[in-house]
Amino acid sequence: MLTVDQTLAGPRVLLLAVTMRCDARCRMCSIWQTPQADMSCDLLRLALADGVLAGNLEYLGLTGGEPLLHPALGELVEILIDKCLRLKEISLTTNGLSSAQVQATVRGLLDMSEDNGPEIVVNVSLDGVDDVHNRVRGRPDAFFNATATLNALTQLRRTEPRLAVRLNTVVSSMNAESLYPLLRYAQEIEVPLNFSLVMDTDTYTNSHGAYSEVALRPKQRDKLRRFFARLHLPAMYDRVGQLSRDYADHLRGMLAEETRRLPCPFRDGDGYLILPDGDVYVCGVAQKGWCGNLTRTPFSVLWGDAATRNQRKELLRPACARCPSNCHLHACYDHGNPH
């Protein structure tokens, strides 16, 4: 029987996978091969109904699949803005394959929130220049469309102070030796570039079957350690200058197979992932992070059960020690938890 601790405040970070539809064919992700499920508005209302998930939420990440393919994304966001009154940031992760759709969605997000509302952060996936990105994303037009999206967003950013634009790069064997041209491109368009090391996961993105193909080779890891040692990363988040320096050190440590030193909102129990079917995970890295399903158990129960929470921490401890993820890492820094 679950024992609920009613004194606990809800999580500050939520990664919400609103759809499993995707129009890319990424080599390090199998979402596009899964059933194309969408989160319903009714399920989202159910997740927020008891107030625990919404009450303390500050950082919301909308992802997928490709979130722009959800037919009712605007309605989902309206529900979230209405219920989550402490939101500081709404981030949207996109492959940028449809520039017009990205622009329309971003303008809609800005219009939905008031002038003092949350910052809107758009993370555009870009893994290399020209054919490098095309090969990684499995689309011959991927680079052309992503750069068109970035050009439009950087123009919009000039008139919208609440809009931030970022580049996300997954570093794998397919692009490990092609990062300098990408870095120069990011500097030219003045968009912060965030590097993430490819991961072997058995849930959500589920790279388990393809990992042997995309995993970094020993010589690539050595070169990347030198790359990050020389690299002066610009602040990945303008308000947190320390983050870029600590994260560069983290990347070098992970490449050297050291134990993780950086904080993590998911490891620390301050973040959750919810999939379109209502499955709840403490993070998206491993099946053992599964907590339950919202169609059967209210979020307040999943969140407040002390025994389940402690058991999950023990199960994840070995994985967390070697996890290179930086997902919503800035939430820890903003909360005064840099170590």
PDB file of all heavy atoms in Angstrom, residues 14-21 36-41 43-44 60-74 76-77 80 91-93 204 273-278:
ATOM      1  N   LEU A  14       9.314  19.660 -15.344  1.00  0.00           N
ATOM      2  CA  LEU A  14       8.525  18.632 -16.028  1.00  0.00           C
ATOM      3  C   LEU A  14       8.934  18.579 -17.483  1.00  0.00           C
ATOM      4  O   LEU A  14       8.912  19.591 -18.195  1.00  0.00           O
ATOM      5  CB  LEU A  14       7.034  18.940 -15.939  1.00  0.00           C
ATOM      6  CG  LEU A  14       6.113  17.989 -16.736  1.00  0.00           C
ATOM      7  CD1 LEU A  14       6.223  16.562 -16.218  1.00  0.00           C
ATOM      8  CD2 LEU A  14       4.673  18.481 -16.711  1.00  0.00           C
ATOM      9  N   LEU A  15       9.321  17.398 -17.926  1.00  0.00           N
ATOM     10  CA  LEU A  15       9.567  17.133 -19.334  1.00  0.00           C
ATOM     11  C   LEU A  15       8.329  16.411 -19.857  1.00  0.00           C
ATOM     12  O   LEU A  15       8.036  15.282 -19.447  1.00  0.00           O
ATOM     13  CB  LEU A  15      10.817  16.264 -19.495  1.00  0.00           C
ATOM     14  CG  LEU A  15      11.366  16.095 -20.911  1.00  0.00           C
ATOM     15  CD1 LEU A  15      11.731  17.433 -21.523  1.00  0.00           C
ATOM     16  CD2 LEU A  15      12.567  15.165 -20.899  1.00  0.00           C
ATOM     17  N   LEU A  16       7.595  17.066 -20.735  1.00  0.00           N
ATOM     18  CA  LEU A  16       6.305  16.549 -21.201  1.00  0.00           C
ATOM     19  C   LEU A  16       6.420  16.155 -22.676  1.00  0.00           C
ATOM     20  O   LEU A  16       6.526  17.014 -23.554  1.00  0.00           O
ATOM     21  CB  LEU A  16       5.227  17.619 -21.018  1.00  0.00           C
ATOM     22  CG  LEU A  16       3.785  17.179 -21.230  1.00  0.00           C
ATOM     23  CD1 LEU A  16       3.359  16.173 -20.153  1.00  0.00           C
ATOM     24  CD2 LEU A  16       2.846  18.385 -21.219  1.00  0.00           C
ATOM     25  N   ALA A  17       6.428  14.859 -22.920  1.00  0.00           N
ATOM     26  CA  ALA A  17       6.444  14.346 -24.297  1.00  0.00           C
ATOM     27  C   ALA A  17       5.009  14.315 -24.795  1.00  0.00           C
ATOM     28  O   ALA A  17       4.238  13.425 -24.432  1.00  0.00           O
ATOM     29  CB  ALA A  17       7.069  12.959 -24.344  1.00  0.00           C
ATOM     30  N   VAL A  18       4.626  15.298 -25.585  1.00  0.00           N
ATOM     31  CA  VAL A  18       3.222  15.446 -25.963  1.00  0.00           C
ATOM     32  C   VAL A  18       2.828  14.531 -27.114  1.00  0.00           C
ATOM     33  O   VAL A  18       1.639  14.281 -27.332  1.00  0.00           O
ATOM     34  CB  VAL A  18       2.900  16.913 -26.334  1.00  0.00           C
ATOM     35  CG1 VAL A  18       3.088  17.813 -25.123  1.00  0.00           C
ATOM     36  CG2 VAL A  18       3.759  17.390 -27.501  1.00  0.00           C
ATOM     37  N   THR A  19       3.809  14.024 -27.855  1.00  0.00           N
ATOM     38  CA  THR A  19       3.508  13.141 -28.977  1.00  0.00           C
ATOM     39  C   THR A  19       4.703  12.245 -29.259  1.00  0.00           C
ATOM     40  O   THR A  19       5.846  12.588 -28.955  1.00  0.00           O
ATOM     41  CB  THR A  19       3.166  13.946 -30.254  1.00  0.00           C
ATOM     42  OG1 THR A  19       2.809  13.040 -31.308  1.00  0.00           O
ATOM     43  CG2 THR A  19       4.348  14.798 -30.705  1.00  0.00           C
ATOM     44  N   MET A  20       4.428  11.085 -29.854  1.00  0.00           N
ATOM     45  CA  MET A  20       5.499  10.216 -30.330  1.00  0.00           C
ATOM     46  C   MET A  20       5.597  10.271 -31.855  1.00  0.00           C
ATOM     47  O   MET A  20       6.358   9.532 -32.468  1.00  0.00           O
ATOM     48  CB  MET A  20       5.263   8.776 -29.864  1.00  0.00           C
ATOM     49  CG  MET A  20       5.189   8.620 -28.351  1.00  0.00           C
ATOM     50  SD  MET A  20       6.658   9.192 -27.469  1.00  0.00           S
ATOM     51  CE  MET A  20       7.637   7.689 -27.476  1.00  0.00           C
ATOM     52  N   ARG A  21       4.835  11.158 -32.482  1.00  0.00           N
ATOM     53  CA  ARG A  21       4.969  11.361 -33.918  1.00  0.00           C
ATOM     54  C   ARG A  21       6.297  12.071 -34.198  1.00  0.00           C
ATOM     55  O   ARG A  21       6.714  12.939 -33.442  1.00  0.00           O
ATOM     56  CB  ARG A  21       3.856  12.247 -34.465  1.00  0.00           C
ATOM     57  CG  ARG A  21       2.459  11.771 -34.196  1.00  0.00           C
ATOM     58  CD  ARG A  21       1.492  12.636 -34.978  1.00  0.00           C
ATOM     59  NE  ARG A  21       0.140  12.547 -34.474  1.00  0.00           N
ATOM     60  CZ  ARG A  21      -0.938  12.915 -35.163  1.00  0.00           C
ATOM     61  NH1 ARG A  21      -0.789  13.400 -36.388  1.00  0.00           N
ATOM     62  NH2 ARG A  21      -2.132  12.810 -34.643  1.00  0.00           N
ATOM     63  N   GLN A  36       2.397   6.002 -33.053  1.00  0.00           N
ATOM     64  CA  GLN A  36       2.344   7.469 -33.100  1.00  0.00           C
ATOM     65  C   GLN A  36       1.274   8.035 -32.174  1.00  0.00           C
ATOM     66  O   GLN A  36       0.257   8.582 -32.616  1.00  0.00           O
ATOM     67  CB  GLN A  36       2.124   7.918 -34.536  1.00  0.00           C
ATOM     68  CG  GLN A  36       3.144   7.323 -35.499  1.00  0.00           C
ATOM     69  CD  GLN A  36       4.568   7.764 -35.216  1.00  0.00           C
ATOM     70  OE1 GLN A  36       4.946   8.872 -35.537  1.00  0.00           O
ATOM     71  NE2 GLN A  36       5.363   6.903 -34.587  1.00  0.00           N
ATOM     72  N   ALA A  37       1.501   7.942 -30.878  1.00  0.00           N
ATOM     73  CA  ALA A  37       0.514   8.370 -29.889  1.00  0.00           C
ATOM     74  C   ALA A  37       0.619   9.864 -29.604  1.00  0.00           C
ATOM     75  O   ALA A  37       1.700  10.445 -29.649  1.00  0.00           O
ATOM     76  CB  ALA A  37       0.725   7.596 -28.589  1.00  0.00           C
ATOM     77  N   ASP A  38      -0.523  10.497 -29.300  1.00  0.00           N
ATOM     78  CA  ASP A  38      -0.585  11.896 -28.872  1.00  0.00           C
ATOM     79  C   ASP A  38      -1.161  11.963 -27.467  1.00  0.00           C
ATOM     80  O   ASP A  38      -2.073  11.198 -27.125  1.00  0.00           O
ATOM     81  CB  ASP A  38      -1.502  12.720 -29.793  1.00  0.00           C
ATOM     82  CG  ASP A  38      -0.994  12.793 -31.217  1.00  0.00           C
ATOM     83  OD1 ASP A  38       0.226  12.940 -31.397  1.00  0.00           O
ATOM     84  OD2 ASP A  38      -1.826  12.713 -32.143  1.00  0.00           O
ATOM     85  N   MET A  39      -0.662  12.894 -26.658  1.00  0.00           N
ATOM     86  CA  MET A  39      -1.275  13.130 -25.351  1.00  0.00           C
ATOM     87  C   MET A  39      -2.599  13.857 -25.550  1.00  0.00           C
ATOM     88  O   MET A  39      -2.671  14.851 -26.274  1.00  0.00           O
ATOM     89  CB  MET A  39      -0.349  13.963 -24.466  1.00  0.00           C
ATOM     90  CG  MET A  39      -0.986  14.362 -23.138  1.00  0.00           C
ATOM     91  SD  MET A  39       0.198  15.064 -21.973  1.00  0.00           S
ATOM     92  CE  MET A  39       1.023  13.565 -21.419  1.00  0.00           C
ATOM     93  N   SER A  40      -3.635  13.383 -24.897  1.00  0.00           N
ATOM     94  CA  SER A  40      -4.939  14.042 -25.002  1.00  0.00           C
ATOM     95  C   SER A  40      -5.034  15.176 -23.995  1.00  0.00           C
ATOM     96  O   SER A  40      -4.366  15.176 -22.955  1.00  0.00           O
ATOM     97  CB  SER A  40      -6.062  13.038 -24.762  1.00  0.00           C
ATOM     98  OG  SER A  40      -6.112  12.654 -23.391  1.00  0.00           O
ATOM     99  N   CYS A  41      -5.887  16.140 -24.292  1.00  0.00           N
ATOM    100  CA  CYS A  41      -6.125  17.237 -23.361  1.00  0.00           C
ATOM    101  C   CYS A  41      -6.763  16.715 -22.070  1.00  0.00           C
ATOM    102  O   CYS A  41      -6.473  17.223 -20.981  1.00  0.00           O
ATOM    103  CB  CYS A  41      -7.012  18.292 -24.014  1.00  0.00           C
ATOM    104  SG  CYS A  41      -6.218  19.161 -25.384  1.00  0.00           S
ATOM    105  N   LEU A  43      -6.214  13.814 -20.662  1.00  0.00           N
ATOM    106  CA  LEU A  43      -5.175  13.208 -19.840  1.00  0.00           C
ATOM    107  C   LEU A  43      -4.338  14.281 -19.150  1.00  0.00           C
ATOM    108  O   LEU A  43      -3.981  14.138 -17.971  1.00  0.00           O
ATOM    109  CB  LEU A  43      -4.281  12.309 -20.684  1.00  0.00           C
ATOM    110  CG  LEU A  43      -3.109  11.647 -19.952  1.00  0.00           C
ATOM    111  CD1 LEU A  43      -3.600  10.780 -18.797  1.00  0.00           C
ATOM    112  CD2 LEU A  43      -2.270  10.812 -20.907  1.00  0.00           C
ATOM    113  N   LEU A  44      -4.038  15.354 -19.850  1.00  0.00           N
ATOM    114  CA  LEU A  44      -3.267  16.434 -19.230  1.00  0.00           C
ATOM    115  C   LEU A  44      -4.050  17.059 -18.082  1.00  0.00           C
ATOM    116  O   LEU A  44      -3.486  17.329 -17.011  1.00  0.00           O
ATOM    117  CB  LEU A  44      -2.914  17.490 -20.274  1.00  0.00           C
ATOM    118  CG  LEU A  44      -2.085  18.670 -19.747  1.00  0.00           C
ATOM    119  CD1 LEU A  44      -0.773  18.200 -19.144  1.00  0.00           C
ATOM    120  CD2 LEU A  44      -1.839  19.685 -20.863  1.00  0.00           C
ATOM    121  N   LEU A  60       9.041  23.952 -17.738  1.00  0.00           N
ATOM    122  CA  LEU A  60       8.264  23.012 -18.533  1.00  0.00           C
ATOM    123  C   LEU A  60       8.952  22.807 -19.870  1.00  0.00           C
ATOM    124  O   LEU A  60       9.202  23.765 -20.610  1.00  0.00           O
ATOM    125  CB  LEU A  60       6.850  23.563 -18.761  1.00  0.00           C
ATOM    126  CG  LEU A  60       5.984  22.819 -19.767  1.00  0.00           C
ATOM    127  CD1 LEU A  60       5.653  21.423 -19.267  1.00  0.00           C
ATOM    128  CD2 LEU A  60       4.703  23.608 -20.051  1.00  0.00           C
ATOM    129  N   GLY A  61       9.276  21.559 -20.196  1.00  0.00           N
ATOM    130  CA  GLY A  61       9.877  21.232 -21.479  1.00  0.00           C
ATOM    131  C   GLY A  61       8.897  20.455 -22.338  1.00  0.00           C
ATOM    132  O   GLY A  61       8.478  19.365 -21.968  1.00  0.00           O
ATOM    133  N   LEU A  62       8.528  21.014 -23.480  1.00  0.00           N
ATOM    134  CA  LEU A  62       7.631  20.352 -24.415  1.00  0.00           C
ATOM    135  C   LEU A  62       8.467  19.631 -25.460  1.00  0.00           C
ATOM    136  O   LEU A  62       9.273  20.241 -26.161  1.00  0.00           O
ATOM    137  CB  LEU A  62       6.720  21.382 -25.097  1.00  0.00           C
ATOM    138  CG  LEU A  62       5.823  22.195 -24.172  1.00  0.00           C
ATOM    139  CD1 LEU A  62       5.101  23.287 -24.962  1.00  0.00           C
ATOM    140  CD2 LEU A  62       4.822  21.305 -23.454  1.00  0.00           C
ATOM    141  N   THR A  63       8.283  18.333 -25.554  1.00  0.00           N
ATOM    142  CA  THR A  63       9.097  17.554 -26.463  1.00  0.00           C
ATOM    143  C   THR A  63       8.255  16.455 -27.080  1.00  0.00           C
ATOM    144  O   THR A  63       7.052  16.394 -26.920  1.00  0.00           O
ATOM    145  CB  THR A  63      10.339  17.002 -25.708  1.00  0.00           C
ATOM    146  OG1 THR A  63      11.212  16.360 -26.629  1.00  0.00           O
ATOM    147  CG2 THR A  63       9.943  16.037 -24.605  1.00  0.00           C
ATOM    148  N   GLY A  64       8.914  15.544 -27.793  1.00  0.00           N
ATOM    149  CA  GLY A  64       8.229  14.439 -28.424  1.00  0.00           C
ATOM    150  C   GLY A  64       9.210  13.292 -28.586  1.00  0.00           C
ATOM    151  O   GLY A  64      10.066  13.086 -27.738  1.00  0.00           O
ATOM    152  N   GLY A  65       9.133  12.684 -29.733  1.00  0.00           N
ATOM    153  CA  GLY A  65       8.702  13.068 -31.038  1.00  0.00           C
ATOM    154  C   GLY A  65       8.953  14.535 -31.372  1.00  0.00           C
ATOM    155  O   GLY A  65       9.708  15.231 -30.739  1.00  0.00           O
ATOM    156  N   GLU A  66       8.260  14.948 -32.412  1.00  0.00           N
ATOM    157  CA  GLU A  66       8.278  16.349 -32.817  1.00  0.00           C
ATOM    158  C   GLU A  66       7.006  16.989 -32.284  1.00  0.00           C
ATOM    159  O   GLU A  66       5.908  16.724 -32.779  1.00  0.00           O
ATOM    160  CB  GLU A  66       8.350  16.458 -34.335  1.00  0.00           C
ATOM    161  CG  GLU A  66       8.164  17.857 -34.890  1.00  0.00           C
ATOM    162  CD  GLU A  66       9.096  18.878 -34.263  1.00  0.00           C
ATOM    163  OE1 GLU A  66      10.321  18.616 -34.187  1.00  0.00           O
ATOM    164  OE2 GLU A  66       8.600  19.941 -33.839  1.00  0.00           O
ATOM    165  N   PRO A  67       7.113  17.833 -31.237  1.00  0.00           N
ATOM    166  CA  PRO A  67       5.912  18.365 -30.582  1.00  0.00           C
ATOM    167  C   PRO A  67       5.005  19.157 -31.516  1.00  0.00           C
ATOM    168  O   PRO A  67       3.798  19.206 -31.309  1.00  0.00           O
ATOM    169  CB  PRO A  67       6.469  19.234 -29.453  1.00  0.00           C
ATOM    170  CG  PRO A  67       7.895  19.484 -29.812  1.00  0.00           C
ATOM    171  CD  PRO A  67       8.342  18.306 -30.594  1.00  0.00           C
ATOM    172  N   LEU A  68       5.576  19.757 -32.566  1.00  0.00           N
ATOM    173  CA  LEU A  68       4.758  20.549 -33.473  1.00  0.00           C
ATOM    174  C   LEU A  68       3.786  19.700 -34.280  1.00  0.00           C
ATOM    175  O   LEU A  68       2.859  20.231 -34.901  1.00  0.00           O
ATOM    176  CB  LEU A  68       5.636  21.364 -34.416  1.00  0.00           C
ATOM    177  CG  LEU A  68       6.078  22.728 -33.879  1.00  0.00           C
ATOM    178  CD1 LEU A  68       7.084  22.569 -32.753  1.00  0.00           C
ATOM    179  CD2 LEU A  68       6.641  23.601 -34.972  1.00  0.00           C
ATOM    180  N   LEU A  69       3.977  18.389 -34.285  1.00  0.00           N
ATOM    181  CA  LEU A  69       3.062  17.506 -35.005  1.00  0.00           C
ATOM    182  C   LEU A  69       1.815  17.165 -34.191  1.00  0.00           C
ATOM    183  O   LEU A  69       0.893  16.522 -34.709  1.00  0.00           O
ATOM    184  CB  LEU A  69       3.784  16.216 -35.405  1.00  0.00           C
ATOM    185  CG  LEU A  69       4.920  16.387 -36.418  1.00  0.00           C
ATOM    186  CD1 LEU A  69       5.571  15.033 -36.715  1.00  0.00           C
ATOM    187  CD2 LEU A  69       4.427  17.026 -37.706  1.00  0.00           C
ATOM    188  N   HIS A  70       1.775  17.579 -32.919  1.00  0.00           N
ATOM    189  CA  HIS A  70       0.569  17.341 -32.117  1.00  0.00           C
ATOM    190  C   HIS A  70      -0.552  18.232 -32.651  1.00  0.00           C
ATOM    191  O   HIS A  70      -0.384  19.456 -32.751  1.00  0.00           O
ATOM    192  CB  HIS A  70       0.828  17.659 -30.648  1.00  0.00           C
ATOM    193  CG  HIS A  70      -0.240  17.149 -29.731  1.00  0.00           C
ATOM    194  ND1 HIS A  70      -1.542  17.624 -29.748  1.00  0.00           N
ATOM    195  CD2 HIS A  70      -0.217  16.185 -28.765  1.00  0.00           C
ATOM    196  CE1 HIS A  70      -2.255  16.991 -28.839  1.00  0.00           C
ATOM    197  NE2 HIS A  70      -1.480  16.111 -28.235  1.00  0.00           N
ATOM    198  N   PRO A  71      -1.706  17.667 -32.976  1.00  0.00           N
ATOM    199  CA  PRO A  71      -2.775  18.470 -33.587  1.00  0.00           C
ATOM    200  C   PRO A  71      -3.403  19.495 -32.655  1.00  0.00           C
ATOM    201  O   PRO A  71      -4.073  20.413 -33.125  1.00  0.00           O
ATOM    202  CB  PRO A  71      -3.798  17.408 -34.013  1.00  0.00           C
ATOM    203  CG  PRO A  71      -3.537  16.235 -33.125  1.00  0.00           C
ATOM    204  CD  PRO A  71      -2.057  16.240 -32.869  1.00  0.00           C
ATOM    205  N   ALA A  72      -3.205  19.360 -31.343  1.00  0.00           N
ATOM    206  CA  ALA A  72      -3.814  20.300 -30.395  1.00  0.00           C
ATOM    207  C   ALA A  72      -2.770  20.858 -29.439  1.00  0.00           C
ATOM    208  O   ALA A  72      -3.047  21.050 -28.251  1.00  0.00           O
ATOM    209  CB  ALA A  72      -4.942  19.609 -29.627  1.00  0.00           C
ATOM    210  N   LEU A  73      -1.571  21.127 -29.935  1.00  0.00           N
ATOM    211  CA  LEU A  73      -0.505  21.619 -29.066  1.00  0.00           C
ATOM    212  C   LEU A  73      -0.886  22.922 -28.387  1.00  0.00           C
ATOM    213  O   LEU A  73      -0.628  23.124 -27.200  1.00  0.00           O
ATOM    214  CB  LEU A  73       0.781  21.807 -29.871  1.00  0.00           C
ATOM    215  CG  LEU A  73       1.997  22.301 -29.085  1.00  0.00           C
ATOM    216  CD1 LEU A  73       2.387  21.302 -27.993  1.00  0.00           C
ATOM    217  CD2 LEU A  73       3.179  22.557 -30.023  1.00  0.00           C
ATOM    218  N   GLY A  74      -1.525  23.827 -29.125  1.00  0.00           N
ATOM    219  CA  GLY A  74      -1.934  25.096 -28.546  1.00  0.00           C
ATOM    220  C   GLY A  74      -2.875  24.928 -27.364  1.00  0.00           C
ATOM    221  O   GLY A  74      -2.744  25.611 -26.341  1.00  0.00           O
ATOM    222  N   LEU A  76      -3.098  22.288 -25.389  1.00  0.00           N
ATOM    223  CA  LEU A  76      -2.320  21.737 -24.284  1.00  0.00           C
ATOM    224  C   LEU A  76      -1.581  22.842 -23.539  1.00  0.00           C
ATOM    225  O   LEU A  76      -1.572  22.880 -22.301  1.00  0.00           O
ATOM    226  CB  LEU A  76      -1.315  20.706 -24.799  1.00  0.00           C
ATOM    227  CG  LEU A  76      -1.849  19.394 -25.363  1.00  0.00           C
ATOM    228  CD1 LEU A  76      -0.699  18.545 -25.897  1.00  0.00           C
ATOM    229  CD2 LEU A  76      -2.629  18.612 -24.311  1.00  0.00           C
ATOM    230  N   VAL A  77      -0.960  23.749 -24.288  1.00  0.00           N
ATOM    231  CA  VAL A  77      -0.202  24.836 -23.658  1.00  0.00           C
ATOM    232  C   VAL A  77      -1.131  25.773 -22.895  1.00  0.00           C
ATOM    233  O   VAL A  77      -0.786  26.239 -21.804  1.00  0.00           O
ATOM    234  CB  VAL A  77       0.618  25.597 -24.714  1.00  0.00           C
ATOM    235  CG1 VAL A  77       1.296  26.816 -24.088  1.00  0.00           C
ATOM    236  CG2 VAL A  77       1.666  24.682 -25.333  1.00  0.00           C
ATOM    237  N   LEU A  80      -1.790  24.251 -19.575  1.00  0.00           N
ATOM    238  CA  LEU A  80      -0.613  24.324 -18.705  1.00  0.00           C
ATOM    239  C   LEU A  80      -0.414  25.728 -18.159  1.00  0.00           C
ATOM    240  O   LEU A  80      -0.139  25.914 -16.964  1.00  0.00           O
ATOM    241  CB  LEU A  80       0.623  23.872 -19.483  1.00  0.00           C
ATOM    242  CG  LEU A  80       0.689  22.370 -19.770  1.00  0.00           C
ATOM    243  CD1 LEU A  80       1.588  22.078 -20.960  1.00  0.00           C
ATOM    244  CD2 LEU A  80       1.164  21.616 -18.538  1.00  0.00           C
ATOM    245  N   SER A  91       9.999  25.583 -22.555  1.00  0.00           N
ATOM    246  CA  SER A  91      10.933  25.283 -23.635  1.00  0.00           C
ATOM    247  C   SER A  91      10.289  24.319 -24.620  1.00  0.00           C
ATOM    248  O   SER A  91       9.518  23.440 -24.242  1.00  0.00           O
ATOM    249  CB  SER A  91      12.245  24.711 -23.093  1.00  0.00           C
ATOM    250  OG  SER A  91      12.025  23.483 -22.423  1.00  0.00           O
ATOM    251  N   LEU A  92      10.615  24.515 -25.875  1.00  0.00           N
ATOM    252  CA  LEU A  92      10.091  23.696 -26.962  1.00  0.00           C
ATOM    253  C   LEU A  92      11.270  23.143 -27.737  1.00  0.00           C
ATOM    254  O   LEU A  92      12.109  23.911 -28.236  1.00  0.00           O
ATOM    255  CB  LEU A  92       9.207  24.550 -27.877  1.00  0.00           C
ATOM    256  CG  LEU A  92       8.671  23.895 -29.154  1.00  0.00           C
ATOM    257  CD1 LEU A  92       7.574  22.891 -28.816  1.00  0.00           C
ATOM    258  CD2 LEU A  92       8.142  24.955 -30.118  1.00  0.00           C
ATOM    259  N   THR A  93      11.373  21.837 -27.841  1.00  0.00           N
ATOM    260  CA  THR A  93      12.454  21.203 -28.589  1.00  0.00           C
ATOM    261  C   THR A  93      11.926  20.744 -29.937  1.00  0.00           C
ATOM    262  O   THR A  93      10.956  19.980 -29.999  1.00  0.00           O
ATOM    263  CB  THR A  93      13.032  20.015 -27.805  1.00  0.00           C
ATOM    264  OG1 THR A  93      13.537  20.480 -26.557  1.00  0.00           O
ATOM    265  CG2 THR A  93      14.155  19.352 -28.580  1.00  0.00           C
ATOM    266  N   TYR A 204      11.836   5.697 -23.722  1.00  0.00           N
ATOM    267  CA  TYR A 204      11.632   7.003 -24.361  1.00  0.00           C
ATOM    268  C   TYR A 204      12.337   7.066 -25.712  1.00  0.00           C
ATOM    269  O   TYR A 204      11.856   6.507 -26.682  1.00  0.00           O
ATOM    270  CB  TYR A 204      12.083   8.105 -23.411  1.00  0.00           C
ATOM    271  CG  TYR A 204      11.792   9.510 -23.900  1.00  0.00           C
ATOM    272  CD1 TYR A 204      10.643   9.788 -24.631  1.00  0.00           C
ATOM    273  CD2 TYR A 204      12.666  10.549 -23.629  1.00  0.00           C
ATOM    274  CE1 TYR A 204      10.377  11.073 -25.078  1.00  0.00           C
ATOM    275  CE2 TYR A 204      12.407  11.829 -24.069  1.00  0.00           C
ATOM    276  CZ  TYR A 204      11.270  12.080 -24.803  1.00  0.00           C
ATOM    277  OH  TYR A 204      11.013  13.347 -25.243  1.00  0.00           O
ATOM    278  N   LEU A 273       9.373  13.000 -16.079  1.00  0.00           N
ATOM    279  CA  LEU A 273       9.018  12.865 -17.487  1.00  0.00           C
ATOM    280  C   LEU A 273       7.660  12.189 -17.568  1.00  0.00           C
ATOM    281  O   LEU A 273       7.419  11.181 -16.895  1.00  0.00           O
ATOM    282  CB  LEU A 273      10.065  12.005 -18.214  1.00  0.00           C
ATOM    283  CG  LEU A 273       9.661  11.449 -19.583  1.00  0.00           C
ATOM    284  CD1 LEU A 273       9.585  12.554 -20.627  1.00  0.00           C
ATOM    285  CD2 LEU A 273      10.633  10.355 -20.029  1.00  0.00           C
ATOM    286  N   ILE A 274       6.774  12.752 -18.392  1.00  0.00           N
ATOM    287  CA  ILE A 274       5.476  12.133 -18.637  1.00  0.00           C
ATOM    288  C   ILE A 274       5.336  11.894 -20.136  1.00  0.00           C
ATOM    289  O   ILE A 274       5.528  12.805 -20.950  1.00  0.00           O
ATOM    290  CB  ILE A 274       4.315  13.011 -18.132  1.00  0.00           C
ATOM    291  CG1 ILE A 274       4.433  13.222 -16.618  1.00  0.00           C
ATOM    292  CG2 ILE A 274       2.972  12.353 -18.459  1.00  0.00           C
ATOM    293  CD1 ILE A 274       3.333  14.085 -16.026  1.00  0.00           C
ATOM    294  N   LEU A 275       4.997  10.656 -20.507  1.00  0.00           N
ATOM    295  CA  LEU A 275       4.835  10.271 -21.903  1.00  0.00           C
ATOM    296  C   LEU A 275       3.376  10.438 -22.344  1.00  0.00           C
ATOM    297  O   LEU A 275       2.469  10.585 -21.503  1.00  0.00           O
ATOM    298  CB  LEU A 275       5.294   8.826 -22.100  1.00  0.00           C
ATOM    299  CG  LEU A 275       6.767   8.539 -21.797  1.00  0.00           C
ATOM    300  CD1 LEU A 275       7.110   7.103 -22.207  1.00  0.00           C
ATOM    301  CD2 LEU A 275       7.690   9.519 -22.495  1.00  0.00           C
ATOM    302  N   PRO A 276       3.109  10.415 -23.649  1.00  0.00           N
ATOM    303  CA  PRO A 276       1.753  10.675 -24.143  1.00  0.00           C
ATOM    304  C   PRO A 276       0.673   9.753 -23.593  1.00  0.00           C
ATOM    305  O   PRO A 276      -0.492  10.140 -23.506  1.00  0.00           O
ATOM    306  CB  PRO A 276       1.892  10.505 -25.662  1.00  0.00           C
ATOM    307  CG  PRO A 276       3.310  10.832 -25.943  1.00  0.00           C
ATOM    308  CD  PRO A 276       4.077  10.307 -24.757  1.00  0.00           C
ATOM    309  N   ASP A 277       1.045   8.523 -23.222  1.00  0.00           N
ATOM    310  CA  ASP A 277       0.043   7.588 -22.712  1.00  0.00           C
ATOM    311  C   ASP A 277      -0.172   7.702 -21.211  1.00  0.00           C
ATOM    312  O   ASP A 277      -0.952   6.945 -20.628  1.00  0.00           O
ATOM    313  CB  ASP A 277       0.430   6.145 -23.061  1.00  0.00           C
ATOM    314  CG  ASP A 277       1.755   5.714 -22.435  1.00  0.00           C
ATOM    315  OD1 ASP A 277       2.403   6.545 -21.753  1.00  0.00           O
ATOM    316  OD2 ASP A 277       2.145   4.550 -22.625  1.00  0.00           O
ATOM    317  N   GLY A 278       0.523   8.640 -20.558  1.00  0.00           N
ATOM    318  CA  GLY A 278       0.361   8.830 -19.120  1.00  0.00           C
ATOM    319  C   GLY A 278       1.394   8.136 -18.268  1.00  0.00           C
ATOM    320  O   GLY A 278       1.362   8.253 -17.036  1.00  0.00           O
TER     321      GLY A 278
END
